[in-house]
Amino acid sequence: MSGRSFSSAFDFRLAILGFLVALFSAGIGIGGGTLLVSILMAAFGFEFKKAASTSLATIIPISFVGAVNHVALLPAAPSLRLYLLFIPACVLGTLLGGNIVREHRTGWLKLAFALFLLVVSLRMLKIFDVPLLLYSGIHTLLLTHESLLIIPVGILIGMIAVLLGIGCGLLIVPFYVIVIKLDMHQAITLSLTTMFFLSVSATLIHNKLNTFDKTPMKSLFGPALAGAVAGAIISSHLPAFILKQLFGGFLFLISCNFIIQELKSYRSKAKTPQSL
């Protein structure tokens, strides 16, 4: 069963996974890539690049439906200027990241990413507030030079998306809530809209590199659409405070999981020469 091919049959396990991930992801403004990549590798036996490309392709319907629903259900939309600055920068980052993913996956990036998420999650949960002075200083700079930070951050996020196979809502939402001071609902809307363009670009890059297997999408695409609609509707009826706590808690769990995985990976690599 572990060697089962996804080339023909509709897989109900993948369908359920797609629905549940989309339900949660569209609700708090993330693409669900962190969940998808981990589960596709652990439960379905996907190798990393296949899991990453499948995850990015699944984020396309999640982000599109989630963004449309949030825009329709929430009256206050983010500034158009933020879209025009941030989205092109993210797409440029995916193009740059494609040159790196062609060669290998950098484990150090995943570990650094996990440590960053851990700090951000503690900040959002108001457990650890040391980064507040840095954020305040950045926000003061943004009052006159907003693009100086938004564009480089967008490029970096696009690169991380291709390398790790995630939509980077885990970075986009905290960035706009903590640094840019957007309302949680506005940050979710901006995150989902950005992820649509980012994930389309990253998926095309993986397809060009022949690391994208389209066959699992027949089981994931439809349920992901349905889950995204349900998640966006539920989210629109939840207070921003609850969404922020849910997001912070999810960030904390994901960052801890990332750190544990990478430490295990480094330990196994260290033991390999001795066994040879």
Side-chain angles (χ1 to χ4, degrees):
M1 291 297 291
S2 60
R4 179 181 175 182
S5 172
F6 295 95
S7 61
S8 57
F10 181 88
D11 192 289
F12 284 99
R13 297 175 303 160
L14 279 176
I16 293 171
L17 173 64
F19 178 82
L20 293 177
V21 168
L23 178 69
F24 182 73
S25 301
I28 64 172
I30 64 173
T34 49
L35 287 173
L36 277 171
V37 171
S38 300
I39 294 174
L40 289 174
M41 292 176 67
F44 294 89
F46 284 32
E47 55 89 21
F48 176 76
K49 287 185 177 179
K50 180 180 177 181
S53 60
T54 300
S55 167
L56 286 165
T58 307
I59 291 169
I60 295 174
I62 294 174
S63 57
F64 178 78
V65 175
V68 169
N69 277 273
H70 275 283
V71 170
L73 295 171
L74 298 172
S79 167
L80 179 61
R81 184 169 182 269
L82 294 179
Y83 288 107
L84 296 178
L85 284 173
F86 196 62
I87 292 175
C90 287
V91 172
L92 175 59
T94 63
L95 298 177
L96 297 175
N99 294 325
I100 301 175
V101 78
R102 188 192 311 270
E103 300 176 3
H104 58 277
R105 173 183 157 223
T106 50
W108 64 267
L109 176 64
K110 189 174 181 182
L111 182 59
F113 177 69
L115 291 171
F116 174 78
L117 291 183
L118 181 62
V119 172
V120 171
S121 69
L122 295 174
R123 169 73 180 88
M124 294 193 76
L125 291 169
K126 297 188 181 298
I127 296 174
F128 180 67
D129 224 17
V130 169
L132 181 58
L133 293 176
L134 173 62
Y135 293 137
S136 299
I138 290 175
H139 188 253
T140 302
L141 177 66
L142 283 175
L143 292 176
T144 53
H145 303 287
E146 190 177 65
S147 61
L148 293 180
L149 184 62
I150 290 178
I151 293 175
V153 168
I155 293 173
L156 177 63
I157 284 175
M159 294 177 67
I160 292 174
V162 176
L163 291 168
L164 300 183
I166 61 178
C168 283
L170 293 177
L171 290 176
I172 298 172
V173 173
F175 173 68
Y176 277 101
V177 170
I178 297 173
V179 180
I180 310 298
K181 307 296 185 183
L182 282 189
D183 171 80
M184 187 67 182
H185 286 293
Q186 289 185 324
I188 289 174
T189 303
L190 181 59
S191 172
L192 289 166
T193 306
T194 301
M195 279 190 292
F196 172 73
F197 292 96
L198 185 153
S199 55
V200 168
S201 176
T203 299
L204 291 174
I205 290 170
H206 273 283
N207 188 55
K208 184 178 180 180
L209 296 174
N210 295 318
T211 54
F212 175 41
D213 183 359
K214 302 179 182 66
T215 52
M217 294 309 300
K218 68 178 67 175
S219 300
L220 284 166
F221 194 90
L225 279 173
V229 172
I233 293 173
I234 293 171
S235 173
S236 68
H237 290 86
L238 290 176
F241 172 77
I242 298 298
L243 289 172
K244 195 171 182 178
Q245 294 299 302
L246 287 172
F247 194 99
F250 180 74
L251 272 185
F252 179 78
L253 293 175
I254 289 297
S255 61
C256 290
N257 182 53
F258 270 170
I259 292 170
I260 292 171
Q261 285 182 359
E262 287 308 306
L263 290 177
K264 286 182 178 179
S265 175
Y266 287 139
R267 184 176 299 176
S268 64
K269 288 178 182 177
K271 290 181 179 180
T272 300
Q274 299 176 3
S275 60
L276 294 175

